[in-house]
């Protein structure tokens, strides 16, 4: 409560500075880019003495926006020019990315970062997941500079339920990167993250909302503890690692590391690589990896799919 109150007071105190910064930005834009740039918003930077972040729309590019930080003095022409160039370059990258994915039949419904982590809609199964990944990889590989990349895959029902844009006239990149849109895509249902490198094969992981992840983590810990009690008496589970990957060609088999310790040890120095179903139940015997830590340092875990 105290932190929220301080932030609200800081923003309120910053409103006069934001209005001043908006006027300075508008004057600079009218001089350097007449009739081309229009201010969308002026947001106070916290603390209030930090000026304001100004966002412009660009008259001749509906995809682009320009971000500029303005404080007590007008932005220099070169500073505004660099900001415009960066905004237009981002829009060009967006058109390259969206065009590549559209060639494979995929529309982009969100951007986790500018311009990266596009969200598409698909419902992969064991029968279709390899074709989906190879098709996405071919799309991205066909355009220079798009790899490495991550593509987020939401269920089609999630995409159909996306909220309408509050302001459909905003530039494309602002609409696709809006917090409200990204929260709707990622907040309630599991989704997939497909990772594509410049070389090698694509990797797919399942990302779960916090409550579902906790349920899965608890089930994995119980499965590992039961296996350890039988196979390695005197050992116990130290923790379940948060990074997981799906087994290639499957969307119902998860690979995960579980760190374990010997009785009396203060930390886990060993690990299991488990294959589980989506509920966290063990599928087949785990692989055992011993002595993965150098003294008090970090664990050196093997690759999940090694």
């Amino acid at each position: 409560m105290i932190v929220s109150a301080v932030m609200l007071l800081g923003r309120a105190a910053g409103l006069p500075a934001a209005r001043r910064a908006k006027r300075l930005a508008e004057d600079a834009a009218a001089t350097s880019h007449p009739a081309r740039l229009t201010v969308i918003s002026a947001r106070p930077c916290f603390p209030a003495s930090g000026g304001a972040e100004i966002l412009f729309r660009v008259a001749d590019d509906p995809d682009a926006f320009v971000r500029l930080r303005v404080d007590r003095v007008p932005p220099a022409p070169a500073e505004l020019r660099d900001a415009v160039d960066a905004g237009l370059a981002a829009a060009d990258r967006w058109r390259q990315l969206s065009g590549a994915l559209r060639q494979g039949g995929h529309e982009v419904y969100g951007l986790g970062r500018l311009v990266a982590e596009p969200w598409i809609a698909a419902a992969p199964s064991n029968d279709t997941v390899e074709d989906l990944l190879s098709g996405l990889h071919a799309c991205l590989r066909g355009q220079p500079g798009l790899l490495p990349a991550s593509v987020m895959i939401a269920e089609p029902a999630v995409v159909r339920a996306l909220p309408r844009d509050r302001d459909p006239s905003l530039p494309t990149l602002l609409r696709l990167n809006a917090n409200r849109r990204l929260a709707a895509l990622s907040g309630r249902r599991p989704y997939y993250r497909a990772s594509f490198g410049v070389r090698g094969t694509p990797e797919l992981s399942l990302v779960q909302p916090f409550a579902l992840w906790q349920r899965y983590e608890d089930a994995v810990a119980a499965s590992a503890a039961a296996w350890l009690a039988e196979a390695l008496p005197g050992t116990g589970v130290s923790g379940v690692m948060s990074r997981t990957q799906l087994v290639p060609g499957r969307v119902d088999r998860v690979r995960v590391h579980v760190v374990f310790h010997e009785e009396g040890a203060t930390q886990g120095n060993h690990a299991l690589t488990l294959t589980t179903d989506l509920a966290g139940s063990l599928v087949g015997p785990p692989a055992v990896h011993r002595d993965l830590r150098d003294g008090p340092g970090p664990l050196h875990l093997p690759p999940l799919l090694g």
Side-chain angles (χ1 to χ4, degrees):
M1 292 292 291
I2 294 175
V3 173
S4 298
V6 170
M7 291 183 68
L8 288 173
L9 287 171
R11 288 181 181 177
L15 290 176
R19 288 193 288 267
R20 179 181 65 243
K22 180 175 180 287
R23 289 194 299 269
L24 293 173
E26 288 174 330
D27 292 343
T31 300
S32 301
H33 299 268
R36 193 183 189 196
L37 301 179
T38 304
V39 171
I40 299 171
S41 63
R43 183 176 62 85
C45 296
F46 188 78
S49 61
E53 179 187 76
I54 311 296
L55 300 182
F56 297 93
R57 70 174 78 244
V58 183
D60 53 345
D61 193 332
D63 296 328
F65 74 94
V66 175
R67 178 184 280 118
L68 184 69
R69 180 156 178 172
V70 179
D71 201 344
R72 299 176 182 276
V73 297
E79 184 182 4
L80 182 56
R81 182 182 64 246
D82 289 346
V84 170
D85 289 346
L88 295 177
D92 285 340
R93 291 196 304 275
W94 152 246
R95 287 185 283 269
Q96 184 187 26
L97 174 63
S98 62
L101 291 171
R102 195 172 290 122
Q103 285 182 352
H106 302 289
E107 292 295 324
V108 177
Y109 297 99
L111 288 171
R113 293 185 294 116
L114 292 177
V115 175
E117 297 181 356
W119 283 84
I120 66 169
S125 67
N126 290 343
D127 294 329
T128 63
V129 63
E130 289 189 340
D131 287 342
L132 173 64
L133 293 179
S134 62
L136 287 170
H137 203 184
C139 292
L140 297 169
R141 197 169 46 217
Q143 292 287 338
L146 293 184
L147 293 176
S150 293
V151 176
M152 311 303 171
I153 304 171
E155 295 178 9
V158 171
V159 170
R160 288 193 296 269
L162 280 175
R164 292 183 179 181
D165 294 319
R166 287 175 173 166
D167 184 355
S169 71
L170 285 176
T172 304
L173 290 181
L174 279 181
R175 290 189 292 104
L176 292 180
N177 191 236
N179 288 336
R180 183 165 171 257
R181 175 176 288 261
L182 296 178
L185 286 166
S186 65
R188 296 181 180 178
R189 301 286 292 274
Y191 62 90
Y192 300 98
R193 175 192 289 269
S195 301
F196 303 91
V198 177
R199 298 180 180 83
T201 57
E203 296 178 352
L204 190 66
S205 57
L206 181 67
V207 183
Q208 304 195 66
F210 182 68
L212 291 179
W213 165 256
Q214 279 193 313
R215 192 181 308 164
Y216 172 79
E217 182 182 36
D218 290 345
V220 169
S223 297
W227 187 88
L228 287 170
E230 182 175 339
L232 297 172
T235 62
V237 171
S238 299
V240 179
M241 305 304 288
S242 60
R243 183 172 181 268
T244 65
Q245 281 183 254
L246 291 171
V247 172
R250 302 291 296 262
V251 296
D252 58 354
R253 293 292 181 266
V254 183
R255 199 69 55 80
V256 61
H257 284 133
V258 174
V259 180
F260 71 95
H261 58 268
E262 292 163 343
E263 189 173 359
T266 58
Q267 61 181 358
N269 293 326
H270 320 294
L272 303 174
T273 302
L274 274 66
T275 300
T276 75
D277 62 16
L278 298 182
S281 296
L282 191 61
V283 179
V288 180
H289 313 281
R290 289 191 171 274
D291 301 320
L292 299 178
R293 196 189 302 271
D294 297 328
L299 282 168
H300 302 288
L301 292 167
L304 280 169
L305 300 180

